[in-house]
């Protein structure tokens, strides 16, 4: 991760008071509709957050790594159920705090409360920007903006200036992130590969021309803390 996504003080709060939770690859941490009585901080591993439509189609909303809070929508709003499902893409270790304990600790420290509110605002901006790209720029824009967010979140810049996305994704998983079909994603990825915009190697994507992707969707150059996939 290029930087810690939550304030250091919030991270330390979980370190001091949280209970350790370990989850194996492929197992679910919680399911959409289940009672939400805890929030979690990811210490290691990858957790995918998704929703299912009535037709059984999966929509991936976030792919979260270390230093990310999940199940965070319940504090202070009395939301008693999870709005998404959480599944481990890699073996993960998390710290868990009950909603009641988290609310009490944050309320007792005004500085923590301010930092938490600022973080919640940034999270809202991230979700709004993703929704904007999915709604306004069509399927191509959804893919291009997803690739840009992946480079910002899991990208490693190479000597030739290309960006290696250090996270494996199948075309089906990319399609779930873009709310479209695997067949359409296949065609668009192959077109980008022919034009040397991207390349593939064993499930990893390398972006060779990030500016092309940005130009195609009229990228607004949002801050890196906003333009992320987690």
């Amino acid at each position: 991760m290029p930087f810690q996504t939550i304030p250091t003080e919030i991270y330390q709060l979980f370190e001091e008071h949280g209970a350790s939770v370990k989850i194996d690859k492929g197992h679910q941490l919680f399911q959409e509709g289940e009672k939400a009585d805890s929030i979690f901080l990811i210490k290691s591993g990858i957790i995918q957050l998704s929703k299912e439509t009535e037709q059984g189609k999966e929509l991936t909303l976030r792919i979260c790594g270390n230093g990310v809070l999940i199940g965070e929508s319940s504090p202070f709003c009395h939301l008693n159920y999870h709005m998404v499902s959480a599944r481990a893409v890699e073996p993960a270790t998390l710290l868990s705090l009950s909603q009641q304990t988290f609310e009490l600790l944050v309320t007792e420290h005004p500085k923590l409360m301010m930092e938490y509110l600022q973080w919640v605002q940034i999270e809202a901006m991230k979700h709004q920007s993703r929704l904007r790209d999915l709604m306004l720029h069509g399927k191509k824009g959804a893919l291009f903006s997803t690739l840009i967010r992946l480079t910002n979140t899991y990208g490693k810049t190479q000597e030739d200036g290309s960006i290696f996305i250090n996270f494996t994704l199948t075309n089906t998983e990319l399609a779930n992130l873009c709310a479209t079909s695997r067949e359409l994603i296949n065609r668009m990825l192959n077109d980008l590969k022919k034009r040397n915009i991207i390349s593939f190697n064993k499930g990893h994507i390398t972006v060779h021309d990030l500016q092309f992707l940005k130009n195609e969707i009229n990228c607004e150059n949002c801050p890196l803390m906003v333009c992320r996939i987690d």
Side-chain angles (χ1 to χ4, degrees), residues 200-219:
F200 316 111
N201 183 24
K202 297 180 180 178
H204 287 92
I205 296 175
T206 298
V207 177
H208 300 285
D209 192 346
L210 182 63
Q211 192 58 49
F212 171 86
L213 300 178
K214 291 184 175 183
N215 291 342
E216 286 293 299
I217 62 169
N218 299 314
C219 178

Side-chain angles (χ1 to χ4, degrees), residues 44-58:
S44 64
I46 303 290
I47 301 290
Q48 174 182 295
L49 302 184
S50 60
K51 291 181 70 72
E52 281 194 8
T53 67
E54 293 182 356
Q55 293 76 29
K57 181 176 176 58
E58 183 180 30

Side-chain angles (χ1 to χ4, degrees), residues 6-217:
I6 61 170
T8 301
E9 290 77 5
I10 298 291
Y11 192 98
Q12 291 174 344
L13 191 71
F14 278 82
E15 289 274 17
E16 294 174 9
H17 301 279
S20 181
V21 177
K22 293 187 177 181
I23 181 170
D24 294 330
K25 178 180 179 179
H27 288 205
Q28 286 196 320
L29 180 64
F30 52 78
Q31 283 187 310
E32 183 179 357
E34 285 184 348
K35 183 178 180 182
D37 52 14
S38 297
I39 56 177
F40 303 88
L41 170 68
I42 303 173
K43 289 200 69 178
S44 64
I46 303 290
I47 301 290
Q48 174 182 295
L49 302 184
S50 60
K51 291 181 70 72
E52 281 194 8
T53 67
E54 293 182 356
Q55 293 76 29
K57 181 176 176 58
E58 183 180 30
L59 173 62
T60 302
L61 301 175
R62 300 168 65 189
I63 300 175
C64 305
N66 59 296
V68 176
L69 284 183
I70 60 175
E72 78 286 354
S73 58
S74 56
F76 301 107
C77 69
H78 305 293
L79 186 68
N80 59 1
Y81 64 93
H82 288 292
M83 300 181 67
V84 298
S85 297
R87 178 176 61 85
V89 178
E90 297 177 357
T93 300
L94 308 95
L95 293 173
S96 170
L97 268 180
S98 72
Q99 176 181 326
Q100 185 177 12
T101 300
F102 179 79
E103 290 177 356
L104 179 63
L105 291 170
V106 172
T107 303
E108 289 177 345
H109 300 85
K111 182 181 177 182
L112 276 180
M113 176 65 81
M114 288 297 298
E115 291 188 342
Y116 175 70
L117 291 175
Q118 290 171 353
W119 175 81
V120 168
Q121 289 178 328
I122 291 172
E123 290 299 296
M125 292 171 63
K126 285 165 60 174
H127 301 324
Q128 289 170 7
S129 67
R130 277 205 68 204
L131 182 61
R132 174 200 64 203
D133 291 340
L134 289 173
M135 296 296 291
L136 296 183
H137 298 299
K139 301 304 182 183
K140 182 177 76 171
L143 174 61
F144 289 9
S145 65
T146 296
L147 291 173
I148 293 168
R149 285 180 167 82
L150 285 166
T151 62
N152 290 338
T153 310
Y154 297 105
K156 291 187 176 181
T157 302
Q158 308 300 294
E159 291 183 359
D160 62 358
S162 62
I163 303 174
F164 174 75
I165 298 174
N166 191 28
F167 183 76
T168 57
L169 280 169
T170 66
N171 288 3
T172 297
E173 289 167 337
L174 260 179
N176 291 342
L177 279 166
C178 301
T180 189
S181 67
R182 179 176 59 84
E183 292 76 15
L184 182 57
I185 290 295
N186 289 346
R187 289 198 296 270
M188 290 192 291
L189 288 176
N190 286 329
D191 181 62
L192 290 174
K193 182 180 179 181
K194 289 177 182 176
R195 300 165 73 177
N196 200 34
I197 306 299
I198 64 172
S199 60
F200 316 111
N201 183 24
K202 297 180 180 178
H204 287 92
I205 296 175
T206 298
V207 177
H208 300 285
D209 192 346
L210 182 63
Q211 192 58 49
F212 171 86
L213 300 178
K214 291 184 175 183
N215 291 342
E216 286 293 299
I217 62 169

